[in-house]
């Protein structure tokens, strides 16, 4: 349970940083929307991502791990579709923001 809590905090920090760093990434509202976005991302990364990594394990092996970026982009796109307060403008912003969130989830 504490690992999930740490993941929520790191995802919240990453979302807050992305809203300030990338022009095409916006998270409207205050700290409550930030917390909701962090919870959704933590849920997706904790429960959905391991299943996707198991399903796409051959592609991950063939691409030497670069398919993990596609999985992270898919999870962030899913969060964008679920959360009305989160807006990602284009594919370039989605790519860079998924890399930053993946780096935040390493810790």
């Amino acid at each position: 349970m504490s690992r999930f809590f740490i993941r929520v905090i790191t995802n919240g920090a990453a979302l807050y940083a992305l809203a300030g760093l990338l022009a095409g990434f916006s998270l409207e509202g205050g700290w409550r929307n930030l917390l909701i976005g962090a919870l959704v991302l933590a849920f997706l990364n904790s429960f959905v991502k391991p299943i996707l990594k198991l399903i796409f394990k051959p592609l991950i092996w063939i691409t030497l791990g670069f398919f993990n970026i596609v999985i992270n982009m898919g999870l962030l796109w899913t969060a964008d579709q679920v959360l009305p307060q989160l807006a990602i403008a284009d594919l370039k912003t989605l790519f860079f923001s998924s890399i930053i969130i993946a780096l935040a989830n390493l810790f």
Side-chain angles (χ1 to χ4, degrees), residues 24-81:
F25 191 94
S26 67
L27 184 65
E28 301 297 323
W31 64 272
R32 183 170 285 164
N33 287 338
L34 181 67
L35 179 63
I36 292 170
L39 282 169
V40 168
L41 273 177
F43 174 78
L44 288 173
N45 283 321
S46 295
F47 299 110
V48 178
K49 187 176 182 177
I51 295 169
L52 290 175
K53 286 179 83 170
L54 183 66
I55 292 170
F56 292 111
K57 194 170 200 93
L59 280 174
I60 293 170
W61 278 71
I62 289 170
T63 61
L64 303 174
F66 286 111
F67 196 75
N68 284 322
I69 295 171
V70 175
I71 292 172
N72 290 332
M73 287 174 65
L75 292 176
L76 189 58
W77 180 80
T78 303
D80 181 28
Q81 297 301 311

